[in-house]
């Protein structure tokens, strides 16, 4: 048995209004990743750790997701990216915070995990660590896309709260500032169970449009945005501050340890704890006994699942089979 689940961020209020013009490309990206990595995970060619790293790297490369190239812009119009990763067998972890110059923040987090010390590196030191270890360096102009610049301009002119325009595709398709806003974030994540029964989780993000310089969300914080132990792997998405205040990803593991609690029950309990703190969002989780869940409280959560050879994707409530 092998399972690979992906998310591409949760967001939006109200009823799902159907796909935007950009959504099919977002789903194709997930399908390509799952078709490539799913069979390799199943056959034992890939560990869970490598599968989640490769999956998140591919999502970081897709400019329509808010991670790596295509990350959202902070208040000063620059990109600051966060990523973290964790392995279940030994709870080894790696995390980079507010990095500005690397193509794949998740690979730097993976390398920190493998080196074993320290677990987290910040900003310039993390960029330097990546450089020293021959990870690909890129500049801000390569990371920035027209979509994110348009969203930032819209955020700036409307003086909105941070994050309010993150998945508003109309910012690039239609510059009408009165058009309906979709709140969303577009962070990416992956959780996997490999053929040896091992688990891993990874999460990567540019954060929220207009975030203050120096802000750290939940994504690079082990136990908040990402958690993995021998029983469960978790990757979260949503307003990070609420996921930090509830230690959401770790809380799922705590809830799942309670007697007679399914992974679905545990995940709903966690989202119910996060919600009152202003942190509507979603998560993906897989357990060592083969349960997989992808709940969300927002209008949408981009998601994809490879489960024993079957590939499905979704954005709103409905699920698409390949
Ligand atoms: N959790 C991320 C953050 O707060 C945003 C997201 O999930 O989209 O930085």
């Amino acid at each position: 048995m092998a399972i690979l689940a992906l998310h591409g961020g949760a967001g939006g209020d109200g009823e799902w209004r159907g796909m935007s013009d950009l959504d099919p490309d977002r789903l194709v990206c997930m399908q390509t990743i799952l078709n490539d990595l799913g069979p390799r995970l199943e056959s034992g060619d890939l560990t869970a750790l490598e599968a989640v790293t490769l999956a998140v790297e591919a999502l970081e490369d897709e400019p329509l997701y808010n991670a790596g190239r295509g990350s959202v812009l902070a208040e000063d119009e620059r990109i600051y990216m966060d990523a973290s990763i964790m392995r279940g067998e030994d709870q080894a972890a790696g995390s980079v915070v507010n990095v500005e110059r690397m193509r794949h923040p998740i690979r730097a987090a993976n390398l920190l995990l493998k080196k074993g010390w320290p677990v987290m590196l910040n900003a310039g030191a993390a960029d330097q660590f990546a450089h020293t270890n021959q990870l690909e360096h890129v500049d801000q102009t390569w990371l920035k896309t027209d979509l994110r610049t348009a969203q930032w301009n819209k955020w700036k002119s409307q003086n909105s709260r941070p994050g309010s325009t993150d998945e508003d595709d109309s910012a690039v398709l239609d510059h009408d500032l009165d058009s309906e806003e979709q709140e969303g974030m577009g962070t990416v994540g992956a959780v996997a169970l490999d053929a040896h029964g091992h688990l891993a989780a990874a999460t990567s993000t540019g954060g929220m449009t207009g975030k203050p310089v120096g802000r750290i969300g939940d994504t690079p914080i082990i136990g908040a945005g990402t958690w993995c132990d021998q029983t469960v792997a978790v990757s979260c998405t949503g307003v990070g501050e609420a996921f930090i205040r509830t230690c959401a990803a770790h809380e799922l593991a705590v809830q799942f340890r309670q007697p007679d609690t399914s992974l679905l029950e545990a995940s709903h309990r966690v989202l119910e704890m996060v919600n009152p703190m202003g942190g509507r969002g979603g998560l993906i989780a897989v357990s060592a006994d083969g349960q997989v869940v992808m709940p969300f409280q927002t209008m949408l959560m981009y998601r994809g699942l490879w489960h024993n050879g079957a590939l499905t994707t979704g954005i709103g409530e409905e699920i698409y089979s390949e």
Side-chain angles (χ1 to χ4, degrees), residues 8-292:
D13 279 325
E15 290 290 300
W16 163 240
R17 296 191 294 274
M19 289 202 208
S20 78
D21 289 354
L22 303 178
D23 283 343
D25 286 346
R26 293 186 172 110
L27 292 188
V28 166
C29 172
M30 286 199 171
Q31 286 159 356
T32 306
I33 294 168
L34 294 168
N35 271 325
D36 174 27
L37 302 181
R40 292 163 65 193
L41 193 63
E42 177 87 58
S43 70
D45 278 359
L46 281 182
T47 63
L49 183 73
E50 195 53 21
V52 297
T53 307
L54 290 170
V56 170
E57 279 186 326
L59 292 164
E60 286 173 339
D61 277 344
E62 168 52 66
L64 293 173
Y65 290 115
N66 171 19
R69 182 151 191 262
S71 286
V72 300
L73 310 187
E75 139 190 272
D76 66 351
E77 219 181 338
R78 288 183 67 78
I79 287 174
Y80 302 96
M81 302 169 287
D82 296 332
S84 69
I85 190 163
M86 196 165 184
R87 175 169 65 195
E89 301 107 275
D90 54 359
Q91 288 178 221
S95 161
V96 292
V97 182
N98 278 323
V99 295
E100 295 177 63
R101 296 197 304 274
M102 57 180 85
R103 176 173 172 185
H104 292 131
I106 201 64
R107 185 56 71 181
N110 174 301
L111 201 56
L112 279 168
L113 179 155
K114 286 180 176 155
K115 286 185 183 285
W117 189 91
V119 167
M120 297 180 87
L121 273 182
N122 183 38
D127 276 311
Q128 186 55 47
F129 168 82
H131 192 54
T132 306
N133 286 282
Q134 281 83 48
L135 301 189
E136 190 172 346
H137 254 220
V138 292
D139 60 29
Q140 288 268 314
T141 51
W142 185 84
L143 291 167
K144 277 185 198 177
T145 62
D146 291 346
L147 171 65
R148 298 311 184 190
T149 302
Q151 288 174 342
W152 187 86
N153 285 330
K154 184 171 180 177
W155 167 80
K156 188 79 179 163
S157 64
Q158 290 183 327
N159 208 7
S160 312
R161 66 193 178 288
S164 61
T165 56
D166 287 358
E167 276 179 8
D168 183 0
D169 290 345
S170 72
V172 72
L173 301 172
D174 166 10
H175 289 254
D176 174 11
L177 296 180
D178 295 328
S179 67
E180 197 171 359
E181 243 181 45
Q182 288 184 15
E183 184 186 346
M185 293 91 191
T187 290
V188 306
V191 293
L193 171 66
D194 68 23
H196 307 289
H198 294 147
L199 295 166
T203 318
S204 182
T205 190
M208 303 171 84
T209 300
K211 66 182 180 181
V213 174
R215 180 249 186 193
I216 301 168
D218 60 317
T219 299
I221 298 179
I222 300 299
T226 304
W227 178 259
C228 189
D229 58 23
Q230 289 186 19
T231 41
V232 68
V234 190
S235 172
C236 299
T237 174
V239 179
E241 282 66 13
F243 285 80
I244 293 171
R245 289 166 63 202
T246 50
C247 286
H250 181 259
E251 182 63 34
L252 199 159
V254 172
Q255 292 298 326
F256 188 48
R257 265 182 237 138
Q258 306 309 310
D260 302 321
T261 304
S262 70
L263 193 61
L264 192 61
E265 284 162 343
S267 64
H268 281 145
R269 279 184 212 162
V270 169
L271 290 182
E272 278 157 26
M273 289 177 202
V274 172
N275 198 345
M277 314 254 170
R280 291 171 325 109
L283 59 85
I284 56 175
V286 60
S287 59
D289 64 1
Q291 299 175 61
V292 57

